[in-house]
Amino acid sequence: MIDDASVLSTAQRLRQEIENDIAAGHLVPGERLDEVSLANRFHVSRTPIREALQQLAMAGMVEIRPRRGAVVASLTPERLYEMFEVMAELEAMCCRLAARRLGPSDAIALERAHRACEAVRQDHDAYYRANEVFHQAIYAASGNVFLEEQARLLQRRLQPYRRLQLRVRNRVQNSFSEHERILAALMAGEGEEAARIMRPHVQVQGERFSDLIASLKLLGAA
Amino acid sequence: MIDDASVLSTAQRLRQEIENDIAAGHLVPGERLDEVSLANRFHVSRTPIREALQQLAMAGMVEIRPRRGAVVASLTPERLYEMFEVMAELEAMCCRLAARRLGPSDAIALERAHRACEAVRQDHDAYYRANEVFHQAIYAASGNVFLEEQARLLQRRLQPYRRLQLRVRNRVQNSFSEHERILAALMAGEGEEAARIMRPHVQVQGERFSDLIASLKLLGAA
DNA sequence: GTACGTTCTCTTGTATACAAGAACGATGAT
DNA sequence: ATCATCGTTCTTGTATACAAGAGAACGTAC
């Protein structure tokens, strides 16, 4: 784990809690974050809540409009596309590095994560979670802790939007076979090849991007 | 500019001020950030100062140790290497995208920034600043605003350490001729070629990395 | 009936007071 | 003389009070 179990300040704990709610879709983009309500909910005063919100603002997960309160950040289609484009490249980079530096424990973790994906291929929600773990195993295998952190951060930030495109036709089966090819390339030390498969695997393009935008608009209507 | 001139909250202004001091080397890695002193200095109470520090912690520029105050973040050599590795890849990505999407105004901005570098080749400090602008012009030319923001963020975060390696022998001349080749490749639409030159241009490797670590240790002694 | 202005309320922004933990120093013992 | 322990002091963490801006609601005028 990256967020070490060491002692966290209250503001940091609160940030994680709120962040989880955003990532889990419990708090939806555009939703207002009332300081008093949050303070009541967590049994603290507004002061640490405000500190947590400032942190979330820096993480890009909430937007603070001076004197007008904080809302869960909502991304425009353009920005969403841009973020997926960067995510794809970060993951491709992880692949290139991982292939070069793959240690025995990394290989084991990768295989295990892949088998976990296979085991839950029928359950979209479970696959979604296992998929996340598989990708994180690749980040870790890059051997670059900073890169790993950045990748996880962006992954988390995109999570609310990924949820929207869970049940696209055949997506799980395609995803799994792409994983298989990525894993094979990594094990063979073919970093460039793994990266080449990873990029379109991550990046939401063409038809899939249209689907995502459609669900976004649906969300906006709610 | 990315930080739009729109209304900023006090905490955000304070963050920028402190951030500037860190980037400028006025506050050095490891230095303690006393809340009361900062509050006095900026004529505000500790509350907005604390909010600014939380933001800086998320940006990775300060480290907050619960109950023990905030210090300017100091990076280990390993982490520094990792960050330069990611920076190199982000800039390479900017090159690839910029070559594909280069608009007329981007081309003009690039040329102008390049000529500005040429004009101050004799002055290391001035070159350093002009160099920054040149790189930022490439980020902007990528046409991916999110990528641009991330690149600028990381550039800023590495700034205190780049300062340390200002006066390495022949660095300015080498840097400038690399810029020339990158610019030519971008104008020719050769994104991969530009990226290939950019990577080692940015990444601190081998000898140069040792130099950087040496200056780091010097700094630690002070 | 609609649009604009005024007032009232609700929320955010900031300072300050108080509590509690950490660092530092002093005093004593071995 | 050195180390440990206790106490003091300084700093951080949190709540709360107060100020001020934003938004809503109501009333009035056209």
Side-chain angles (χ1 to χ4, degrees):
Chain A
M1 273 297 177
I2 285 175
D3 274 323
D4 202 357
S6 64
V7 197
L8 295 176
S9 74
T10 306
Q12 278 166 359
R13 273 194 310 103
L14 292 171
R15 170 178 60 76
Q16 285 192 347
E17 294 270 4
I18 300 169
E19 199 179 302
N20 286 340
D21 276 359
I22 294 173
H26 208 202
L27 293 168
V28 298
E31 188 166 345
R32 191 118 187 303
L33 294 169
D34 182 65
E35 296 178 1
V36 177
S37 313
L38 288 170
N40 290 336
R41 177 171 154 211
F42 293 112
H43 306 290
V44 294
S45 76
R46 282 171 50 221
T47 309
I49 292 289
R50 283 180 59 86
E51 290 179 357
L53 289 178
Q54 300 282 352
Q55 289 182 43
L56 287 165
M58 284 301 284
M61 304 204 57
V62 315
E63 197 181 329
I64 296 180
R65 302 157 307 173
R67 290 258 170 218
R68 303 182 55 211
V71 296
V72 178
S74 58
L75 307 176
T76 62
E78 292 78 27
R79 193 169 181 84
L80 206 49
Y81 181 84
E82 290 175 357
M83 289 172 75
F84 272 109
E85 192 167 52
V86 172
M87 182 91 240
E89 197 54 43
L90 285 182
E91 298 217 24
M93 182 182 178
C94 289
C95 283
R96 254 183 292 118
L97 295 181
R100 274 205 272 136
R101 302 171 179 172
L102 201 71
S105 62
D106 295 320
I108 292 172
L110 274 173
E111 295 250 34
R112 200 200 312 274
H114 185 57
R115 279 202 301 271
C117 284
E118 187 172 26
V120 297
R121 260 190 298 183
Q122 304 312 320
D123 178 349
H124 286 204
D125 278 12
Y127 182 83
Y128 184 68
R129 286 190 295 274
N131 174 61
E132 217 169 280
V133 173
F134 178 75
H135 282 265
Q136 286 171 4
I138 297 180
Y139 310 160
S142 76
N144 183 322
V145 179
F146 177 71
L147 175 59
E148 182 188 353
E149 287 173 11
Q150 293 298 112
R152 289 179 82 126
L153 210 68
L154 190 49
Q155 187 192 43
R156 195 170 178 72
R157 215 167 140 185
L158 289 173
Q159 208 166 335
Y161 298 93
R162 287 207 193 183
R163 303 186 70 79
L164 294 177
Q165 46 163 357
L166 259 179
R167 293 168 185 282
V168 178
R169 181 176 54 90
N170 274 341
R171 185 64 202 133
V172 167
Q173 186 53 50
N174 288 339
S175 165
F176 182 73
S177 62
E178 282 160 12
H179 282 193
E180 201 135 72
R181 289 163 57 211
I182 290 168
L183 184 61
L186 287 177
M187 293 300 186
E190 309 273 5
E192 280 300 342
E193 172 66 7
R196 214 172 0 253
I197 308 168
M198 180 60 97
R199 260 183 282 255
H201 174 71
V202 170
Q203 193 166 357
V204 184
Q205 285 171 317
E207 205 182 297
R208 279 174 60 214
F209 189 67
S210 310
D211 292 346
L212 179 57
I213 300 308
S215 352
L216 244 176
K217 283 176 184 152
L218 230 79
L219 187 73
Chain B
M1 273 297 174
I2 285 176
D3 273 325
D4 202 357
S6 64
V7 197
L8 295 176
S9 74
T10 307
Q12 279 167 357
R13 272 193 310 104
L14 291 171
R15 170 178 60 77
Q16 285 192 346
E17 294 269 4
I18 300 170
E19 199 179 302
N20 286 340
D21 276 358
I22 294 173
H26 207 205
L27 292 168
V28 297
E31 188 166 346
R32 190 118 186 304
L33 294 168
D34 182 66
E35 296 179 0
V36 177
S37 314
L38 288 170
N40 290 337
R41 178 170 153 213
F42 292 111
H43 306 288
V44 294
S45 76
R46 282 172 50 222
T47 309
I49 291 289
R50 282 179 60 85
E51 290 179 356
L53 289 177
Q54 299 283 353
Q55 289 183 44
L56 286 165
M58 283 301 284
M61 304 203 58
V62 315
E63 198 179 329
I64 296 179
R65 302 157 307 173
R67 290 260 169 215
R68 303 184 56 211
V71 296
V72 178
S74 57
L75 307 177
T76 62
E78 292 78 27
R79 194 169 180 82
L80 207 49
Y81 180 85
E82 291 176 355
M83 289 172 75
F84 272 109
E85 194 167 51
V86 173
M87 181 91 239
E89 196 55 42
L90 285 182
E91 299 219 21
M93 182 181 178
C94 289
C95 282
R96 253 182 294 118
L97 296 182
R100 274 205 272 135
R101 303 171 179 172
L102 201 71
S105 61
D106 296 319
I108 291 172
L110 275 173
E111 294 251 36
R112 199 201 314 273
H114 185 56
R115 279 201 303 271
C117 284
E118 186 171 26
V120 296
R121 261 191 298 183
Q122 304 311 321
D123 178 349
H124 285 206
D125 279 11
Y127 183 82
Y128 186 67
R129 285 189 295 274
N131 174 60
E132 217 168 280
V133 173
F134 178 75
H135 282 264
Q136 287 171 2
I138 296 179
Y139 309 160
S142 77
N144 183 323
V145 179
F146 177 72
L147 175 60
E148 182 187 354
E149 286 172 13
Q150 292 298 113
R152 289 180 82 127
L153 210 68
L154 190 49
Q155 187 192 43
R156 193 168 178 75
R157 214 166 142 185
L158 288 172
Q159 208 167 334
Y161 298 93
R162 287 207 194 183
R163 303 186 70 78
L164 294 177
Q165 45 164 358
L166 260 180
R167 293 168 187 281
V168 178
R169 180 177 54 90
N170 275 342
R171 186 62 202 133
V172 167
Q173 187 52 50
N174 287 340
S175 166
F176 182 73
S177 63
E178 283 160 10
H179 281 192
E180 202 135 74
R181 289 164 56 214
I182 290 168
L183 185 60
L186 287 178
M187 295 300 187
E190 308 273 5
E192 279 302 341
E193 172 67 7
R196 214 171 1 253
I197 308 167
M198 180 59 96
R199 261 182 282 254
H201 175 70
V202 170
Q203 193 165 357
V204 186
Q205 286 171 316
E207 205 181 299
R208 279 174 59 215
F209 188 66
S210 310
D211 292 346
L212 179 56
I213 300 308
S215 354
L216 244 178
K217 280 175 184 152
L218 229 78
L219 187 73

